[in-house]
Amino acid sequence: MSLTISYFNRSNQGESLWAPFIEMFKMLSVVLIITYVATKSKSFKSLVKGDRSLKTIIGQVIICSILGVLASYFTMDVNGVPANSRGLIVMISALLGGPYVGIPVGLISGICRYNMGGPTALACCVATILAGIIGSLINRWNNGEFLKPYKAALLMFLFCGFEMWIVCVLTPWPEGLFIANAVYAPMTFAAVLGMLLFTMFLGEKKEEITGEELKKAVDANADKISVNSDIIDINTDRIIEISWELKEYKNRAEESEKELKDYKDKVDALEQQLDDIKNKL
C-alpha cells in the first residue's frame, strides 16, 4: 500500500484519490486499538463463550455504547464531510451479542448522534439504530454465532450502501447526495476492512479461550488422577495386607483340619478297641 500511495502521490489527482482512504484507515486503526483493549474485559470473554447472563449483557452494552459514542466524536474529514465508524461498532456489537446488546447500543449511539445535530443527524441516527436491529436479526438467524469473515464483510458492504441511501432520503436535497457521494467509498472501505480484521481477531480469541478451558480441564483431571492414584496406592497396600492375612488364616485352617483328622482317627481307633473288648465280654 505504501509503494502504491507513493507512486500515485506524484500527482494531485493521485493524492486526491488516495487521501480519503488513508484518513479512514488512520481512524480505523485507532478504533480497532480501542476495541482490542475493550475485548480484554471479562464480559467480552464471557460473551464469546456463549454466556448470556444479565451481568455479561449489561457490561457489554456499556462497553459497546461507549465505543459507539466515541465513534460519533472521533471523525475524519473526507472531501469536506465528516466520516466515522459508528455503524461498524454497532453492527459488531449486534452480531456478537444479539438483540439484548445490539439494539440498546444502536439506540444509545443513534440518539447521541442525533443530539450532536447537523444536516445528517436524523439520517445517521436512523441508520445507527437500524444497524443494531439488522445485526441482531442476523445474529438470531445464525443461532447466536458470529458470521464467517466473508459473510460479515459482505453484510457490511451492503449495509454501507443502505446507509448512504438513508442519508440521501432523510437529508435535504441535494446536500444528502453530495455527502453520500463524498463518504461512500472511504467509509465502505473502512467498514469492510474493519469487519474482516475483527472477525480474524475474534477467531483467534475463541481459540485462545478454548485453549484456556482445555488447559483448565486437563489440570482438573490431572488433580483427580493424582488423588485417585493416592487412593489406589492406599488400597493396594491394604489389599496386600489382607492377602497375607487370608493366607495365614488359610494355613491355620489347613493345620486345624489336619489335627481334626488325627483326632478323628484316634477316636475311631479307640471305638474299635472298645468294640473288641465288648465282644470278648
Side-chain angles (χ1 to χ4, degrees), residues 131-165:
I133 295 173
I134 293 172
S136 299
L137 291 174
I138 293 176
N139 173 271
R140 284 300 179 88
W141 170 74
N142 203 38
N143 297 321
E145 294 291 332
F146 203 91
L147 292 176
K148 299 294 183 181
Y150 72 93
K151 290 183 179 179
L154 178 61
L155 171 64
M156 209 63 229
F157 175 79
L158 296 174
F159 181 78
C160 286
F162 177 64
E163 184 179 14
M164 294 303 104
W165 178 79

PDB file of all heavy atoms in Angstrom, residues 131-165:
ATOM      1  N   ALA A 131     -28.728  -0.440  12.185  1.00  0.00           N
ATOM      2  CA  ALA A 131     -27.559  -1.328  12.244  1.00  0.00           C
ATOM      3  C   ALA A 131     -27.686  -2.291  13.424  1.00  0.00           C
ATOM      4  O   ALA A 131     -27.404  -3.494  13.300  1.00  0.00           O
ATOM      5  CB  ALA A 131     -26.273  -0.512  12.371  1.00  0.00           C
ATOM      6  N   GLY A 132     -28.142  -1.768  14.564  1.00  0.00           N
ATOM      7  CA  GLY A 132     -28.348  -2.630  15.729  1.00  0.00           C
ATOM      8  C   GLY A 132     -29.441  -3.652  15.508  1.00  0.00           C
ATOM      9  O   GLY A 132     -29.321  -4.813  15.907  1.00  0.00           O
ATOM     10  N   ILE A 133     -30.524  -3.236  14.845  1.00  0.00           N
ATOM     11  CA  ILE A 133     -31.652  -4.144  14.601  1.00  0.00           C
ATOM     12  C   ILE A 133     -31.279  -5.217  13.579  1.00  0.00           C
ATOM     13  O   ILE A 133     -31.530  -6.411  13.787  1.00  0.00           O
ATOM     14  CB  ILE A 133     -32.884  -3.346  14.134  1.00  0.00           C
ATOM     15  CG1 ILE A 133     -33.362  -2.415  15.252  1.00  0.00           C
ATOM     16  CG2 ILE A 133     -34.006  -4.291  13.707  1.00  0.00           C
ATOM     17  CD1 ILE A 133     -34.477  -1.469  14.831  1.00  0.00           C
ATOM     18  N   ILE A 134     -30.685  -4.798  12.472  1.00  0.00           N
ATOM     19  CA  ILE A 134     -30.320  -5.758  11.410  1.00  0.00           C
ATOM     20  C   ILE A 134     -29.286  -6.764  11.914  1.00  0.00           C
ATOM     21  O   ILE A 134     -29.403  -7.974  11.694  1.00  0.00           O
ATOM     22  CB  ILE A 134     -29.795  -5.005  10.177  1.00  0.00           C
ATOM     23  CG1 ILE A 134     -30.921  -4.186   9.536  1.00  0.00           C
ATOM     24  CG2 ILE A 134     -29.204  -5.982   9.150  1.00  0.00           C
ATOM     25  CD1 ILE A 134     -30.470  -3.254   8.429  1.00  0.00           C
ATOM     26  N   GLY A 135     -28.269  -6.265  12.602  1.00  0.00           N
ATOM     27  CA  GLY A 135     -27.256  -7.165  13.146  1.00  0.00           C
ATOM     28  C   GLY A 135     -27.836  -8.147  14.151  1.00  0.00           C
ATOM     29  O   GLY A 135     -27.453  -9.321  14.188  1.00  0.00           O
ATOM     30  N   SER A 136     -28.798  -7.693  14.958  1.00  0.00           N
ATOM     31  CA  SER A 136     -29.437  -8.570  15.942  1.00  0.00           C
ATOM     32  C   SER A 136     -30.261  -9.656  15.263  1.00  0.00           C
ATOM     33  O   SER A 136     -30.253 -10.819  15.685  1.00  0.00           O
ATOM     34  CB  SER A 136     -30.328  -7.736  16.874  1.00  0.00           C
ATOM     35  OG  SER A 136     -29.571  -6.772  17.581  1.00  0.00           O
ATOM     36  N   LEU A 137     -30.983  -9.277  14.205  1.00  0.00           N
ATOM     37  CA  LEU A 137     -31.780 -10.261  13.468  1.00  0.00           C
ATOM     38  C   LEU A 137     -30.888 -11.325  12.826  1.00  0.00           C
ATOM     39  O   LEU A 137     -31.212 -12.522  12.846  1.00  0.00           O
ATOM     40  CB  LEU A 137     -32.633  -9.560  12.400  1.00  0.00           C
ATOM     41  CG  LEU A 137     -33.769  -8.678  12.921  1.00  0.00           C
ATOM     42  CD1 LEU A 137     -34.429  -7.936  11.760  1.00  0.00           C
ATOM     43  CD2 LEU A 137     -34.797  -9.507  13.670  1.00  0.00           C
ATOM     44  N   ILE A 138     -29.764 -10.893  12.277  1.00  0.00           N
ATOM     45  CA  ILE A 138     -28.846 -11.846  11.650  1.00  0.00           C
ATOM     46  C   ILE A 138     -28.210 -12.742  12.704  1.00  0.00           C
ATOM     47  O   ILE A 138     -27.989 -13.939  12.476  1.00  0.00           O
ATOM     48  CB  ILE A 138     -27.779 -11.096  10.840  1.00  0.00           C
ATOM     49  CG1 ILE A 138     -28.445 -10.394   9.642  1.00  0.00           C
ATOM     50  CG2 ILE A 138     -26.676 -12.043  10.358  1.00  0.00           C
ATOM     51  CD1 ILE A 138     -27.514  -9.546   8.823  1.00  0.00           C
ATOM     52  N   ASN A 139     -27.940 -12.183  13.892  1.00  0.00           N
ATOM     53  CA  ASN A 139     -27.400 -12.992  14.984  1.00  0.00           C
ATOM     54  C   ASN A 139     -28.379 -14.109  15.359  1.00  0.00           C
ATOM     55  O   ASN A 139     -27.972 -15.271  15.545  1.00  0.00           O
ATOM     56  CB  ASN A 139     -27.118 -12.104  16.196  1.00  0.00           C
ATOM     57  CG  ASN A 139     -26.726 -12.893  17.428  1.00  0.00           C
ATOM     58  OD1 ASN A 139     -27.577 -13.303  18.221  1.00  0.00           O
ATOM     59  ND2 ASN A 139     -25.435 -13.100  17.601  1.00  0.00           N
ATOM     60  N   ARG A 140     -29.670 -13.775  15.446  1.00  0.00           N
ATOM     61  CA  ARG A 140     -30.678 -14.791  15.756  1.00  0.00           C
ATOM     62  C   ARG A 140     -30.814 -15.787  14.608  1.00  0.00           C
ATOM     63  O   ARG A 140     -30.977 -16.997  14.830  1.00  0.00           O
ATOM     64  CB  ARG A 140     -32.028 -14.110  16.043  1.00  0.00           C
ATOM     65  CG  ARG A 140     -32.085 -13.472  17.425  1.00  0.00           C
ATOM     66  CD  ARG A 140     -31.862 -14.538  18.490  1.00  0.00           C
ATOM     67  NE  ARG A 140     -31.875 -14.030  19.831  1.00  0.00           N
ATOM     68  CZ  ARG A 140     -32.965 -13.903  20.582  1.00  0.00           C
ATOM     69  NH1 ARG A 140     -34.143 -14.245  20.073  1.00  0.00           N
ATOM     70  NH2 ARG A 140     -32.871 -13.450  21.806  1.00  0.00           N
ATOM     71  N   TRP A 141     -30.762 -15.303  13.386  1.00  0.00           N
ATOM     72  CA  TRP A 141     -30.869 -16.186  12.217  1.00  0.00           C
ATOM     73  C   TRP A 141     -29.708 -17.168  12.163  1.00  0.00           C
ATOM     74  O   TRP A 141     -29.854 -18.311  11.731  1.00  0.00           O
ATOM     75  CB  TRP A 141     -30.915 -15.337  10.952  1.00  0.00           C
ATOM     76  CG  TRP A 141     -30.791 -16.129   9.690  1.00  0.00           C
ATOM     77  CD1 TRP A 141     -31.737 -16.932   9.114  1.00  0.00           C
ATOM     78  CD2 TRP A 141     -29.640 -16.217   8.837  1.00  0.00           C
ATOM     79  NE1 TRP A 141     -31.249 -17.503   7.958  1.00  0.00           N
ATOM     80  CE2 TRP A 141     -29.957 -17.091   7.769  1.00  0.00           C
ATOM     81  CE3 TRP A 141     -28.366 -15.642   8.876  1.00  0.00           C
ATOM     82  CZ2 TRP A 141     -29.064 -17.386   6.761  1.00  0.00           C
ATOM     83  CZ3 TRP A 141     -27.467 -15.950   7.871  1.00  0.00           C
ATOM     84  CH2 TRP A 141     -27.820 -16.814   6.822  1.00  0.00           C
ATOM     85  N   ASN A 142     -28.532 -16.713  12.650  1.00  0.00           N
ATOM     86  CA  ASN A 142     -27.336 -17.554  12.637  1.00  0.00           C
ATOM     87  C   ASN A 142     -27.139 -18.297  13.962  1.00  0.00           C
ATOM     88  O   ASN A 142     -26.033 -18.733  14.279  1.00  0.00           O
ATOM     89  CB  ASN A 142     -26.093 -16.697  12.345  1.00  0.00           C
ATOM     90  CG  ASN A 142     -24.954 -17.511  11.765  1.00  0.00           C
ATOM     91  OD1 ASN A 142     -25.161 -18.419  10.967  1.00  0.00           O
ATOM     92  ND2 ASN A 142     -23.737 -17.186  12.162  1.00  0.00           N
ATOM     93  N   ASN A 143     -28.218 -18.441  14.737  1.00  0.00           N
ATOM     94  CA  ASN A 143     -28.204 -19.193  16.004  1.00  0.00           C
ATOM     95  C   ASN A 143     -27.178 -18.650  16.994  1.00  0.00           C
ATOM     96  O   ASN A 143     -26.531 -19.417  17.731  1.00  0.00           O
ATOM     97  CB  ASN A 143     -27.927 -20.675  15.739  1.00  0.00           C
ATOM     98  CG  ASN A 143     -29.005 -21.329  14.894  1.00  0.00           C
ATOM     99  OD1 ASN A 143     -30.194 -21.045  15.060  1.00  0.00           O
ATOM    100  ND2 ASN A 143     -28.609 -22.198  13.979  1.00  0.00           N
ATOM    101  N   GLY A 144     -27.038 -17.331  17.030  1.00  0.00           N
ATOM    102  CA  GLY A 144     -26.168 -16.707  18.021  1.00  0.00           C
ATOM    103  C   GLY A 144     -24.695 -16.738  17.688  1.00  0.00           C
ATOM    104  O   GLY A 144     -23.873 -16.247  18.474  1.00  0.00           O
ATOM    105  N   GLU A 145     -24.327 -17.290  16.543  1.00  0.00           N
ATOM    106  CA  GLU A 145     -22.919 -17.371  16.145  1.00  0.00           C
ATOM    107  C   GLU A 145     -22.537 -16.162  15.287  1.00  0.00           C
ATOM    108  O   GLU A 145     -23.344 -15.669  14.506  1.00  0.00           O
ATOM    109  CB  GLU A 145     -22.654 -18.655  15.351  1.00  0.00           C
ATOM    110  CG  GLU A 145     -22.827 -19.930  16.160  1.00  0.00           C
ATOM    111  CD  GLU A 145     -21.753 -20.102  17.216  1.00  0.00           C
ATOM    112  OE1 GLU A 145     -20.636 -19.586  17.002  1.00  0.00           O
ATOM    113  OE2 GLU A 145     -22.031 -20.741  18.247  1.00  0.00           O
ATOM    114  N   PHE A 146     -21.298 -15.710  15.470  1.00  0.00           N
ATOM    115  CA  PHE A 146     -20.800 -14.615  14.641  1.00  0.00           C
ATOM    116  C   PHE A 146     -20.606 -15.118  13.217  1.00  0.00           C
ATOM    117  O   PHE A 146     -20.226 -16.273  13.004  1.00  0.00           O
ATOM    118  CB  PHE A 146     -19.482 -14.088  15.200  1.00  0.00           C
ATOM    119  CG  PHE A 146     -19.184 -12.682  14.797  1.00  0.00           C
ATOM    120  CD1 PHE A 146     -19.596 -11.622  15.579  1.00  0.00           C
ATOM    121  CD2 PHE A 146     -18.501 -12.404  13.627  1.00  0.00           C
ATOM    122  CE1 PHE A 146     -19.317 -10.314  15.214  1.00  0.00           C
ATOM    123  CE2 PHE A 146     -18.217 -11.115  13.245  1.00  0.00           C
ATOM    124  CZ  PHE A 146     -18.632 -10.054  14.036  1.00  0.00           C
ATOM    125  N   LEU A 147     -20.859 -14.246  12.240  1.00  0.00           N
ATOM    126  CA  LEU A 147     -20.759 -14.647  10.840  1.00  0.00           C
ATOM    127  C   LEU A 147     -19.318 -14.981  10.449  1.00  0.00           C
ATOM    128  O   LEU A 147     -18.365 -14.520  11.071  1.00  0.00           O
ATOM    129  CB  LEU A 147     -21.278 -13.524   9.938  1.00  0.00           C
ATOM    130  CG  LEU A 147     -22.775 -13.214  10.001  1.00  0.00           C
ATOM    131  CD1 LEU A 147     -23.083 -12.011   9.116  1.00  0.00           C
ATOM    132  CD2 LEU A 147     -23.597 -14.410   9.562  1.00  0.00           C
ATOM    133  N   LYS A 148     -19.196 -15.790   9.404  1.00  0.00           N
ATOM    134  CA  LYS A 148     -17.885 -16.057   8.827  1.00  0.00           C
ATOM    135  C   LYS A 148     -17.328 -14.753   8.245  1.00  0.00           C
ATOM    136  O   LYS A 148     -18.090 -13.828   7.900  1.00  0.00           O
ATOM    137  CB  LYS A 148     -17.988 -17.104   7.721  1.00  0.00           C
ATOM    138  CG  LYS A 148     -18.502 -18.454   8.187  1.00  0.00           C
ATOM    139  CD  LYS A 148     -17.534 -19.128   9.138  1.00  0.00           C
ATOM    140  CE  LYS A 148     -18.057 -20.509   9.529  1.00  0.00           C
ATOM    141  NZ  LYS A 148     -17.132 -21.179  10.491  1.00  0.00           N
ATOM    142  N   PRO A 149     -15.996 -14.634   8.141  1.00  0.00           N
ATOM    143  CA  PRO A 149     -15.395 -13.367   7.694  1.00  0.00           C
ATOM    144  C   PRO A 149     -15.964 -12.835   6.382  1.00  0.00           C
ATOM    145  O   PRO A 149     -16.305 -11.651   6.290  1.00  0.00           O
ATOM    146  CB  PRO A 149     -13.907 -13.724   7.547  1.00  0.00           C
ATOM    147  CG  PRO A 149     -13.693 -14.820   8.536  1.00  0.00           C
ATOM    148  CD  PRO A 149     -14.967 -15.614   8.541  1.00  0.00           C
ATOM    149  N   TYR A 150     -16.097 -13.685   5.364  1.00  0.00           N
ATOM    150  CA  TYR A 150     -16.573 -13.182   4.066  1.00  0.00           C
ATOM    151  C   TYR A 150     -18.038 -12.757   4.138  1.00  0.00           C
ATOM    152  O   TYR A 150     -18.452 -11.799   3.477  1.00  0.00           O
ATOM    153  CB  TYR A 150     -16.347 -14.225   2.977  1.00  0.00           C
ATOM    154  CG  TYR A 150     -17.254 -15.434   3.024  1.00  0.00           C
ATOM    155  CD1 TYR A 150     -18.441 -15.467   2.293  1.00  0.00           C
ATOM    156  CD2 TYR A 150     -16.936 -16.538   3.806  1.00  0.00           C
ATOM    157  CE1 TYR A 150     -19.273 -16.570   2.335  1.00  0.00           C
ATOM    158  CE2 TYR A 150     -17.768 -17.638   3.859  1.00  0.00           C
ATOM    159  CZ  TYR A 150     -18.928 -17.663   3.126  1.00  0.00           C
ATOM    160  OH  TYR A 150     -19.765 -18.744   3.175  1.00  0.00           O
ATOM    161  N   LYS A 151     -18.840 -13.469   4.936  1.00  0.00           N
ATOM    162  CA  LYS A 151     -20.240 -13.085   5.093  1.00  0.00           C
ATOM    163  C   LYS A 151     -20.371 -11.770   5.863  1.00  0.00           C
ATOM    164  O   LYS A 151     -21.199 -10.916   5.519  1.00  0.00           O
ATOM    165  CB  LYS A 151     -21.004 -14.190   5.814  1.00  0.00           C
ATOM    166  CG  LYS A 151     -21.192 -15.459   4.995  1.00  0.00           C
ATOM    167  CD  LYS A 151     -22.025 -16.477   5.758  1.00  0.00           C
ATOM    168  CE  LYS A 151     -22.237 -17.739   4.920  1.00  0.00           C
ATOM    169  NZ  LYS A 151     -23.037 -18.752   5.675  1.00  0.00           N
ATOM    170  N   ALA A 152     -19.561 -11.614   6.914  1.00  0.00           N
ATOM    171  CA  ALA A 152     -19.594 -10.375   7.691  1.00  0.00           C
ATOM    172  C   ALA A 152     -19.149  -9.192   6.834  1.00  0.00           C
ATOM    173  O   ALA A 152     -19.734  -8.100   6.909  1.00  0.00           O
ATOM    174  CB  ALA A 152     -18.704 -10.522   8.927  1.00  0.00           C
ATOM    175  N   ALA A 153     -18.122  -9.398   6.015  1.00  0.00           N
ATOM    176  CA  ALA A 153     -17.649  -8.321   5.134  1.00  0.00           C
ATOM    177  C   ALA A 153     -18.705  -7.959   4.096  1.00  0.00           C
ATOM    178  O   ALA A 153     -18.942  -6.773   3.809  1.00  0.00           O
ATOM    179  CB  ALA A 153     -16.354  -8.749   4.442  1.00  0.00           C
ATOM    180  N   LEU A 154     -19.372  -8.967   3.534  1.00  0.00           N
ATOM    181  CA  LEU A 154     -20.435  -8.711   2.554  1.00  0.00           C
ATOM    182  C   LEU A 154     -21.594  -7.968   3.205  1.00  0.00           C
ATOM    183  O   LEU A 154     -22.161  -7.037   2.610  1.00  0.00           O
ATOM    184  CB  LEU A 154     -20.924 -10.035   1.964  1.00  0.00           C
ATOM    185  CG  LEU A 154     -22.081  -9.938   0.951  1.00  0.00           C
ATOM    186  CD1 LEU A 154     -21.662  -9.102  -0.254  1.00  0.00           C
ATOM    187  CD2 LEU A 154     -22.538 -11.327   0.517  1.00  0.00           C
ATOM    188  N   LEU A 155     -21.951  -8.366   4.430  1.00  0.00           N
ATOM    189  CA  LEU A 155     -23.018  -7.669   5.155  1.00  0.00           C
ATOM    190  C   LEU A 155     -22.665  -6.202   5.346  1.00  0.00           C
ATOM    191  O   LEU A 155     -23.507  -5.312   5.132  1.00  0.00           O
ATOM    192  CB  LEU A 155     -23.241  -8.345   6.513  1.00  0.00           C
ATOM    193  CG  LEU A 155     -24.179  -7.613   7.473  1.00  0.00           C
ATOM    194  CD1 LEU A 155     -25.592  -7.548   6.914  1.00  0.00           C
ATOM    195  CD2 LEU A 155     -24.165  -8.279   8.839  1.00  0.00           C
ATOM    196  N   MET A 156     -21.426  -5.927   5.750  1.00  0.00           N
ATOM    197  CA  MET A 156     -21.016  -4.547   5.990  1.00  0.00           C
ATOM    198  C   MET A 156     -21.013  -3.751   4.695  1.00  0.00           C
ATOM    199  O   MET A 156     -21.372  -2.568   4.668  1.00  0.00           O
ATOM    200  CB  MET A 156     -19.624  -4.542   6.616  1.00  0.00           C
ATOM    201  CG  MET A 156     -19.356  -3.371   7.524  1.00  0.00           C
ATOM    202  SD  MET A 156     -20.449  -3.360   8.955  1.00  0.00           S
ATOM    203  CE  MET A 156     -21.013  -1.646   8.915  1.00  0.00           C
ATOM    204  N   PHE A 157     -20.616  -4.382   3.607  1.00  0.00           N
ATOM    205  CA  PHE A 157     -20.610  -3.716   2.301  1.00  0.00           C
ATOM    206  C   PHE A 157     -22.030  -3.319   1.888  1.00  0.00           C
ATOM    207  O   PHE A 157     -22.273  -2.185   1.448  1.00  0.00           O
ATOM    208  CB  PHE A 157     -20.003  -4.646   1.255  1.00  0.00           C
ATOM    209  CG  PHE A 157     -20.050  -4.101  -0.142  1.00  0.00           C
ATOM    210  CD1 PHE A 157     -19.136  -3.153  -0.555  1.00  0.00           C
ATOM    211  CD2 PHE A 157     -21.017  -4.534  -1.041  1.00  0.00           C
ATOM    212  CE1 PHE A 157     -19.176  -2.646  -1.844  1.00  0.00           C
ATOM    213  CE2 PHE A 157     -21.068  -4.029  -2.321  1.00  0.00           C
ATOM    214  CZ  PHE A 157     -20.144  -3.085  -2.727  1.00  0.00           C
ATOM    215  N   LEU A 158     -22.973  -4.244   2.052  1.00  0.00           N
ATOM    216  CA  LEU A 158     -24.364  -3.961   1.694  1.00  0.00           C
ATOM    217  C   LEU A 158     -24.975  -2.917   2.620  1.00  0.00           C
ATOM    218  O   LEU A 158     -25.726  -2.040   2.174  1.00  0.00           O
ATOM    219  CB  LEU A 158     -25.184  -5.250   1.734  1.00  0.00           C
ATOM    220  CG  LEU A 158     -24.789  -6.323   0.714  1.00  0.00           C
ATOM    221  CD1 LEU A 158     -25.588  -7.599   0.952  1.00  0.00           C
ATOM    222  CD2 LEU A 158     -24.999  -5.821  -0.699  1.00  0.00           C
ATOM    223  N   PHE A 159     -24.642  -2.995   3.915  1.00  0.00           N
ATOM    224  CA  PHE A 159     -25.223  -2.039   4.854  1.00  0.00           C
ATOM    225  C   PHE A 159     -24.721  -0.629   4.586  1.00  0.00           C
ATOM    226  O   PHE A 159     -25.479   0.342   4.747  1.00  0.00           O
ATOM    227  CB  PHE A 159     -24.913  -2.440   6.297  1.00  0.00           C
ATOM    228  CG  PHE A 159     -25.507  -1.485   7.297  1.00  0.00           C
ATOM    229  CD1 PHE A 159     -26.854  -1.546   7.617  1.00  0.00           C
ATOM    230  CD2 PHE A 159     -24.719  -0.511   7.885  1.00  0.00           C
ATOM    231  CE1 PHE A 159     -27.415  -0.654   8.519  1.00  0.00           C
ATOM    232  CE2 PHE A 159     -25.269   0.386   8.789  1.00  0.00           C
ATOM    233  CZ  PHE A 159     -26.619   0.310   9.110  1.00  0.00           C
ATOM    234  N   CYS A 160     -23.452  -0.489   4.198  1.00  0.00           N
ATOM    235  CA  CYS A 160     -22.932   0.848   3.896  1.00  0.00           C
ATOM    236  C   CYS A 160     -23.711   1.484   2.740  1.00  0.00           C
ATOM    237  O   CYS A 160     -24.019   2.683   2.762  1.00  0.00           O
ATOM    238  CB  CYS A 160     -21.447   0.775   3.552  1.00  0.00           C
ATOM    239  SG  CYS A 160     -20.385   0.495   4.982  1.00  0.00           S
ATOM    240  N   GLY A 161     -24.025   0.682   1.716  1.00  0.00           N
ATOM    241  CA  GLY A 161     -24.847   1.196   0.625  1.00  0.00           C
ATOM    242  C   GLY A 161     -26.234   1.585   1.107  1.00  0.00           C
ATOM    243  O   GLY A 161     -26.775   2.633   0.709  1.00  0.00           O
ATOM    244  N   PHE A 162     -26.824   0.767   1.977  1.00  0.00           N
ATOM    245  CA  PHE A 162     -28.140   1.072   2.545  1.00  0.00           C
ATOM    246  C   PHE A 162     -28.083   2.338   3.384  1.00  0.00           C
ATOM    247  O   PHE A 162     -29.004   3.178   3.359  1.00  0.00           O
ATOM    248  CB  PHE A 162     -28.600  -0.116   3.395  1.00  0.00           C
ATOM    249  CG  PHE A 162     -29.917   0.098   4.085  1.00  0.00           C
ATOM    250  CD1 PHE A 162     -31.083   0.275   3.372  1.00  0.00           C
ATOM    251  CD2 PHE A 162     -29.979   0.123   5.471  1.00  0.00           C
ATOM    252  CE1 PHE A 162     -32.300   0.470   4.011  1.00  0.00           C
ATOM    253  CE2 PHE A 162     -31.185   0.318   6.127  1.00  0.00           C
ATOM    254  CZ  PHE A 162     -32.349   0.501   5.390  1.00  0.00           C
ATOM    255  N   GLU A 163     -26.987   2.522   4.127  1.00  0.00           N
ATOM    256  CA  GLU A 163     -26.815   3.716   4.958  1.00  0.00           C
ATOM    257  C   GLU A 163     -26.736   4.964   4.090  1.00  0.00           C
ATOM    258  O   GLU A 163     -27.341   6.005   4.432  1.00  0.00           O
ATOM    259  CB  GLU A 163     -25.555   3.562   5.813  1.00  0.00           C
ATOM    260  CG  GLU A 163     -25.331   4.700   6.780  1.00  0.00           C
ATOM    261  CD  GLU A 163     -24.092   4.487   7.630  1.00  0.00           C
ATOM    262  OE1 GLU A 163     -23.277   3.594   7.291  1.00  0.00           O
ATOM    263  OE2 GLU A 163     -23.923   5.226   8.616  1.00  0.00           O
ATOM    264  N   MET A 164     -26.021   4.894   2.986  1.00  0.00           N
ATOM    265  CA  MET A 164     -25.931   6.051   2.100  1.00  0.00           C
ATOM    266  C   MET A 164     -27.282   6.381   1.471  1.00  0.00           C
ATOM    267  O   MET A 164     -27.622   7.550   1.252  1.00  0.00           O
ATOM    268  CB  MET A 164     -24.898   5.799   0.997  1.00  0.00           C
ATOM    269  CG  MET A 164     -23.458   5.688   1.483  1.00  0.00           C
ATOM    270  SD  MET A 164     -22.870   7.133   2.396  1.00  0.00           S
ATOM    271  CE  MET A 164     -22.912   6.517   4.102  1.00  0.00           C
ATOM    272  N   TRP A 165     -28.089   5.337   1.207  1.00  0.00           N
ATOM    273  CA  TRP A 165     -29.433   5.572   0.677  1.00  0.00           C
ATOM    274  C   TRP A 165     -30.285   6.313   1.705  1.00  0.00           C
ATOM    275  O   TRP A 165     -31.057   7.233   1.353  1.00  0.00           O
ATOM    276  CB  TRP A 165     -30.082   4.232   0.321  1.00  0.00           C
ATOM    277  CG  TRP A 165     -31.481   4.374  -0.194  1.00  0.00           C
ATOM    278  CD1 TRP A 165     -31.874   4.743  -1.432  1.00  0.00           C
ATOM    279  CD2 TRP A 165     -32.682   4.160   0.566  1.00  0.00           C
ATOM    280  NE1 TRP A 165     -33.244   4.777  -1.526  1.00  0.00           N
ATOM    281  CE2 TRP A 165     -33.777   4.423  -0.308  1.00  0.00           C
ATOM    282  CE3 TRP A 165     -32.949   3.783   1.867  1.00  0.00           C
ATOM    283  CZ2 TRP A 165     -35.095   4.314   0.118  1.00  0.00           C
ATOM    284  CZ3 TRP A 165     -34.270   3.665   2.295  1.00  0.00           C
ATOM    285  CH2 TRP A 165     -35.323   3.928   1.410  1.00  0.00           C
TER     286      TRP A 165
END
